[in-house]
């Protein structure tokens, strides 16, 4: 408790220092509803575009007047010679080995949800998506843990109920329009100078697309993508080709096997699981036994390259060029070009749907496990997608949509 109290008091300062976060906003109506959950059994779900959402969930719990428990990747517990692990354990985190049937983590999650006032935070996307206005596919394990938690709770209390609270974090860049545009311009100029791209008389949107095209061409060359396979193809095809080539090369390094039907997100999840297991010191059974640190870093670089070409979707930017989307692109460019990016000052707006009981889905689950699981995950997805739309309405395009100047082939 002393650690938690100290964190409560210093949260605004730490949020600014660690994440450049200017604050967290919750509506009065949402906060009132959330406080009704204080003494109830709750699975709290959130989107996961960045590494800040666990801290925001902690803040929400503090506003409710309770504590949340969190699953955290096992390698995080090794950071800072184990000091980070010791700290986050004291504020409710427990470790999970990504990509494996981590029985200890599942057992802990079930135990938390079996308690009358147990509260567990999970992220259905199962990974940091990198995008604030879109959701990647959800992991069904979230629903399975919910059912298992209720099952254990019912053994203790026949009238037990488990509520799911769906939330969505929307970040909004801080500052005036002029100051934001100045930051965008200065950041883009640094990238252009590094790439030897000259803006000429291009519009801002066209300059973003030009930098994206140059990075794509450089990446295609680096990855050895044959020109014959991309000649005459549209931009979206080439993005996908580069993305999957990078992921397949990382898989060769890490001895990860993909299915023919795997999408890029599924490939990234498998690669992350392997990387996490190796860095946590608990490599998965199929991990390479002679992997050098240089090879591991190369695999991580290839995954980061794939991320760059997941976030940089031209159509999304052209249709709705908000400051937030422009900075997502800039951050992606900076990581690709400079190896790092600086967090821009922003506020987090947390949106919620009303909490709902999983009881009807659990009854369905008892009759047909797959049907019940699909129904629950579909409802969670439906609710969070509704919040995505609400979050998008919090921001406006900072420059005119479709202002690309001359026609450009974007697929």
């Amino acid at each position: 408790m002393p650690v938690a109290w100290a964190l409560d008091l210093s949260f605004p300062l730490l949020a600014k220092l660690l994440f450049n976060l200017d604050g967290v906003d919750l509506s009065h109506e949402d906060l009132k509803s959330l406080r009704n959950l204080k003494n109830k059994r709750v699975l709290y779900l959130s989107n996961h575009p960045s590494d800040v959402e666990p801290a925001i969930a902690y803040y929400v719990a503090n506003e409710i007047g309770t504590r949340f428990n969190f699953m955290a990747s096992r390698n995080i517990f090794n950071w800072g010679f184990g000091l980070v692990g010791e700290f986050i354990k004291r504020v409710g985190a427990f470790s999970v080995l990504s990509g494996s049937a981590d029985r200890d983590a599942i057992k802990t999650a079930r135990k938390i949800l079996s308690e009358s006032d147990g509260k567990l935070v999970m992220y259905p996307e199962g990974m940091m998506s990198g995008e604030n206005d879109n959701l990647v596919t959800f992991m069904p394990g979230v629903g399975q843990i919910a059912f298992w938690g209720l099952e254990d709770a019912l053994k203790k209390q026949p009238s037990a109920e488990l509520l799911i609270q769906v939330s969505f974090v929307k970040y909004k860049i801080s500052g005036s329009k002029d100051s934001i545009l100045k930051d965008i311009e200065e950041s883009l100029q640094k990238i252009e100078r590094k790439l030897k791209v000259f803006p000429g008389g291009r519009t801002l949107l066209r300059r973003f697309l030009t930098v994206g095209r140059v990075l794509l061409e450089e990446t295609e060359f680096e990855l050895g993508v044959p020109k014959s396979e991309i000649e005459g193809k549209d931009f979206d095809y080439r993005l996908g080709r580069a993305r999957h080539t990078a992921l397949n090369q990382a898989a060769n390094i890490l001895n990860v096997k993909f299915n023919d039907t795997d999408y890029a997100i599924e490939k990234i999840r498998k690669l992350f699981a392997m990387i996490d297991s190796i860095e946590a010191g608990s490599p998965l059974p199929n991990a390479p036994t002679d992997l050098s640190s240089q090879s591991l870093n190369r695999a991580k670089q290839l995954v980061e390259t794939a991320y760059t070409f997941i976030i940089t979707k031209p159509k999304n930017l052209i249709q709705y060029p908000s400051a937030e989307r422009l900075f997502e692109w800039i951050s992606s460019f900076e990581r690709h070009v400079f190896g790092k990016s600086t967090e821009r000052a922003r506020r987090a707006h947390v949106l919620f749907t009303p909490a709902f009981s999983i009881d009807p889905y659990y009854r369905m689950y008892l009759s047909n496990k797959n049907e019940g699981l699909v129904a629950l995950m579909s409802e969670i997805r439906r609710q969070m997608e509704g919040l995505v739309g609400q979050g998008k309405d919090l921001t406006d395009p900072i420059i005119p949509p479709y202002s690309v100047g001359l026609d450009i082939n974007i697929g």
Side-chain angles (χ1 to χ4, degrees), residues 324-382:
E324 292 70 29
R325 282 190 175 174
L326 289 167
F327 275 119
E328 281 181 354
W329 276 54
I330 284 175
S331 294
S332 181
F333 289 162
E334 288 175 339
R335 289 193 298 271
H336 191 85
V337 174
F338 304 118
K340 61 181 181 179
S341 178
T342 302
E343 294 286 4
R344 272 68 185 187
R346 63 213 189 280
R347 292 188 70 84
H349 299 260
V350 193
L351 309 174
F352 302 90
T353 56
F356 69 96
S357 171
I358 70 166
D359 183 62
Y361 302 96
Y362 182 67
R363 291 199 300 269
M364 192 185 304
Y365 173 81
L366 293 177
S367 299
N368 185 312
K369 286 184 169 53
N370 185 64
E371 185 179 332
L373 188 57
V374 169
L376 177 60
M377 293 307 300
S378 296
E379 177 60 17
I380 292 169
R381 179 88 190 191
R382 184 191 69 79

Side-chain angles (χ1 to χ4, degrees), residues 188 190-192 194-197 207-223 225 235 238-239 242-243 304-305 307-309 312 328-339:
L188 187 58
K190 290 178 184 178
I191 296 165
E192 288 172 329
K194 180 69 174 179
L195 296 175
K196 295 182 172 59
V197 174
R207 289 166 62 193
F208 269 81
L209 296 172
T210 300
V211 168
R213 186 179 293 278
V214 169
L215 287 180
L216 175 59
E217 291 170 350
E218 289 188 353
T219 301
E220 287 170 338
F221 178 78
E222 180 197 351
L223 295 175
V225 178
F235 199 66
R238 291 173 59 186
L239 285 174
R243 185 163 55 236
E304 182 63 42
T305 295
Y307 250 122
T308 297
F309 296 121
T312 50
E328 281 181 354
W329 276 54
I330 284 175
S331 294
S332 181
F333 289 162
E334 288 175 339
R335 289 193 298 271
H336 191 85
V337 174
F338 304 118

Side-chain angles (χ1 to χ4, degrees), residues 3 36 59 71 76 103 152 228 237 248 282 288 338 362 371:
V3 173
N36 291 329
Y59 176 87
M71 277 188 177
I76 294 175
R103 294 183 179 181
D152 292 348
S228 60
Y237 175 88
N248 292 341
S282 303
F338 304 118
Y362 182 67
E371 185 179 332

Side-chain angles (χ1 to χ4, degrees), residues 43-60 68-73 76 96 120-129 135-143 145 165 167-169 171 269 377 380 384:
L43 178 59
Y44 182 99
L45 306 178
S46 172
N47 63 321
H48 198 14
S50 70
D51 57 359
V52 190
E53 291 73 52
I56 291 171
Y58 181 92
Y59 176 87
V60 171
F68 287 165
N69 289 278
F70 304 80
M71 277 188 177
S73 178
I76 294 175
V96 59
L120 177 65
V121 177
M122 294 187 73
Y123 302 95
E125 293 171 287
M127 57 178 280
M128 287 188 292
S129 68
L135 302 170
V136 301
T137 55
F138 284 3
M139 302 288 285
V142 170
I145 286 177
Q165 176 60 68
S167 69
F168 181 81
V169 181
Y171 297 101
R269 284 183 176 133
M377 293 307 300
I380 292 169
M384 198 170 290

